[in-house]
Amino acid sequence: MACYVTHLESAIDGTHLAAGELQTMHKDRPLWVRYDLEAVASTFKKEMLLGREPTLWRYRELLPIADDQQIISLGEGMSPLLACTRLGKQLGLSDLWIKDESQLPTGSFKSRGMALAITMAHGFGVKRVALPSAGNAGGAAAAYGARAGIEAYVFMPADTPMINQYECVMGGAKTFVANGLINDCGRIVREGKERMGWFDLSTLKEPYRIEGKKTMGLELAEQFDWQLPDVILYPTGGGTGLIGMWKAFNELRAIGWLASDKRPRMVAVQSEGCCPIVTAFEKGDRFAELHQNAATIASGIRVPAAVGDFMILDAIRESGGCAIAVEESKIRNWMRTAMSQEGIAVCPEAAACVGAIEKLSASGWIKPNERTVIFNTGGAQKYVEAIRSDPRRIDLGQPVDWDWIEDV
Ligand SMILES: *Cc1c(COP(=O)(O)O)cnc(C)c1O
């Protein structure tokens, strides 16, 4: 099958780079993958999707793959898009949905990005990769690295959720925890490059993780029959998902697949404990400053500085969206609310989006009947520390007290 990639393009100054070789950044800023969208439009038809497997590879014409044999996959299925009537009602919305990314391999949407990044790196002959991770990216890199036979080095903050640390070790990655934050870990990866000869898989420091995460937007459009929702809430750390979805919507528009020109207002959600993008958005800036003393239980969005800050902020503004910070101390409650109302294992990051809706619905920024989608970027089960809540105990030496059981 043909590959429609034409070139890579610097996001900061538009410089073109060759797509046929291993690329990282340009002027220390990320690259876009560009396609011949006219050619895609003339050969790729919606009907073609009908016969294809329900995985992210069904959008193959909009992915940078030259040869199907090259694909490294763990079966990245389409994630369910679930109507949330009960939770919506509680938040004052009649058309609320959660796209549940927790059902992807490794329990988070990070597998979308890693499937593409590792597939491409492997195709270019990379034997060793390294990355800093706030949690799930490390687990996904370990898994896809193992699948591809690529050696992975993962550097994480020491207080990264336990499960993320264990999944890296069990996945065979050389795993390290450091007494700092993800940007400190990023420095180790940068400094070790020469000595260790590894390829830097950090968020947005190679061009293909965006392409993987873009498939969230493609899938969402297909699941809503090519009519995009009014508002998307996305828990934003490095921002790949938000940037990728916005790119997806623009590409779909360019190939004429959207039912109308309407695109969603993109909302970047952060915790007050770490909200560099919100601060920059409120100041009207295009670049964000380092958030000092970043702290939140939503580890995936504990990113004090993002190399793609301007790409996130551009997408939010172009879409007519906003960036909003929510109270750190309430995240656990929102998790519990969402899980108990809808049965969806909502991670702390997505729970922050529930908090954002509370605010935006109350202020009228989201109207009661607007179609609103939260991305549940990972499974609650990976956050043992955050979800710890002990059940009642039964003593088998005593007769069962049914009244007590019923009244609990
Ligand atoms: C990585 C991560 C995020 C943030 O994703 P970005 O696309 O890097 O902003 C949000 N939630 C979870 C669960 C994550 O693992």
Side-chain angles (χ1 to χ4, degrees):
M1 199 185 271
C3 175
Y4 296 92
V5 174
T6 51
H7 61 280
L8 305 178
E9 179 190 314
S10 159
I12 198 76
D13 68 7
T15 302
H16 287 201
L17 283 89
E21 55 198 82
L22 197 61
Q23 301 280 12
T24 51
M25 294 196 286
H26 176 73
K27 295 191 176 156
D28 288 332
R29 292 290 186 171
L31 302 175
W32 296 113
V33 178
R34 295 301 187 200
Y35 298 80
D36 180 350
L37 292 174
E38 271 179 38
V40 173
S42 67
T43 49
F44 194 25
K45 303 292 168 198
K46 288 178 191 169
E47 305 78 69
M48 290 161 67
L49 292 175
L50 292 175
R52 294 192 183 176
E53 299 226 339
T55 71
L56 63 78
W57 308 101
R58 67 202 268 103
Y59 309 109
R60 162 106 193 36
E61 284 81 351
L62 288 171
L63 293 174
I65 310 300
D67 174 4
D68 283 354
Q69 301 302 317
Q70 162 194 359
I71 292 173
I72 307 289
S73 171
L74 289 165
E76 301 72 28
M78 290 176 86
S79 71
L81 177 61
L82 304 164
C84 295
T85 321
R86 204 172 289 121
L87 180 62
K89 196 164 180 193
Q90 185 169 334
L91 297 168
L93 299 183
S94 63
D95 199 8
L96 177 67
W97 301 72
I98 291 182
K99 188 151 168 66
D100 189 10
E101 296 285 305
S102 71
Q103 300 193 26
L104 281 147
T106 72
S108 95
F109 79 124
K110 287 291 193 303
S111 50
R112 293 185 188 265
M114 282 305 164
L116 264 295
I118 293 283
T119 288
M120 296 304 288
H122 182 253
F124 287 122
V126 168
K127 300 275 186 290
R128 180 184 272 187
V129 297
L131 78 163
S133 170
N136 291 317
Y144 284 89
R147 188 82 173 154
I150 287 179
E151 196 182 14
Y153 287 75
V154 180
F155 299 87
M156 297 185 283
D159 52 357
T160 297
M162 271 177 338
I163 300 292
N164 292 132
Q165 303 184 26
Y166 300 161
E167 67 182 341
C168 292
V169 177
M170 289 300 277
K174 307 257 169 76
T175 310
F176 304 86
V177 294
N179 52 341
L181 291 171
I182 187 169
N183 47 321
D184 302 309
C185 294
R187 202 187 59 238
I188 299 175
V189 171
R190 211 164 51 241
E191 289 175 0
K193 218 159 164 172
E194 300 268 296
R195 165 74 175 78
M196 302 298 294
W198 54 41
F199 181 64
D200 190 342
L201 264 195
S202 307
T203 300
L204 293 170
K205 294 191 177 171
E206 60 76 57
Y208 300 108
R209 280 173 67 182
I210 296 187
E211 295 306 293
K213 293 198 179 172
K214 183 176 88 176
T215 61
M216 287 192 291
L218 301 175
E219 242 177 66
L220 182 74
E222 184 180 356
Q223 287 170 321
F224 276 140
D225 202 17
W226 313 108
Q227 181 79 54
L228 297 175
D230 296 294
V231 179
I232 288 179
L233 292 111
Y234 183 78
T236 305
T240 350
L242 189 146
I243 295 166
M245 278 195 270
W246 190 244
K247 185 173 191 279
F249 301 149
N250 288 329
E251 290 177 356
L252 287 174
R253 191 158 78 153
I255 65 168
W257 280 26
L258 295 182
S260 78
D261 245 4
K262 188 189 81 181
R263 285 172 301 169
R265 312 202 293 285
M266 305 297 290
V267 180
V269 179
Q270 300 195 305
S271 158
E272 282 173 352
C274 181
C275 55
I277 299 298
V278 178
T279 306
F281 178 78
E282 287 173 352
K283 288 205 295 198
D285 290 347
R286 190 172 183 229
F287 298 95
E289 277 169 28
L290 180 88
H291 187 107
Q292 300 292 341
N293 306 318
T296 167
I297 59 163
S299 45
I301 56 175
R302 193 170 59 152
V303 180
V307 65
D309 49 3
F310 64 107
M311 298 157 89
I312 305 171
L313 287 155
D314 286 354
I316 295 170
R317 291 188 175 118
E318 238 178 274
S319 76
C322 67
I324 183 168
V326 300
E327 259 176 274
E328 174 63 26
S329 61
K330 290 192 179 164
I331 289 180
R332 212 180 109 96
N333 291 348
W334 290 316
M335 264 181 105
R336 189 171 181 145
T337 302
M339 289 175 76
S340 61
Q341 295 286 306
E342 298 292 353
I344 302 168
V346 168
C347 62
E349 293 83 353
C353 296
V354 173
I357 294 189
E358 230 173 65
K359 277 191 177 179
L360 294 172
S361 166
S363 73
W365 195 90
I366 305 178
K367 308 273 176 304
N369 59 352
E370 283 192 304
R371 175 162 284 181
T372 303
V373 179
I374 293 175
F375 274 79
N376 182 34
T377 41
Q381 296 91 340
K382 295 186 87 173
Y383 301 77
V384 178
E385 300 88 340
I387 62 172
R388 179 138 196 214
S389 28
D390 296 323
R392 307 294 192 287
R393 284 182 186 282
I394 284 175
D395 177 0
L396 292 176
Q398 304 289 326
V400 175
D401 181 347
W402 295 108
D403 290 335
W404 174 72
I405 284 184
E406 195 170 27
D407 289 345
V408 157

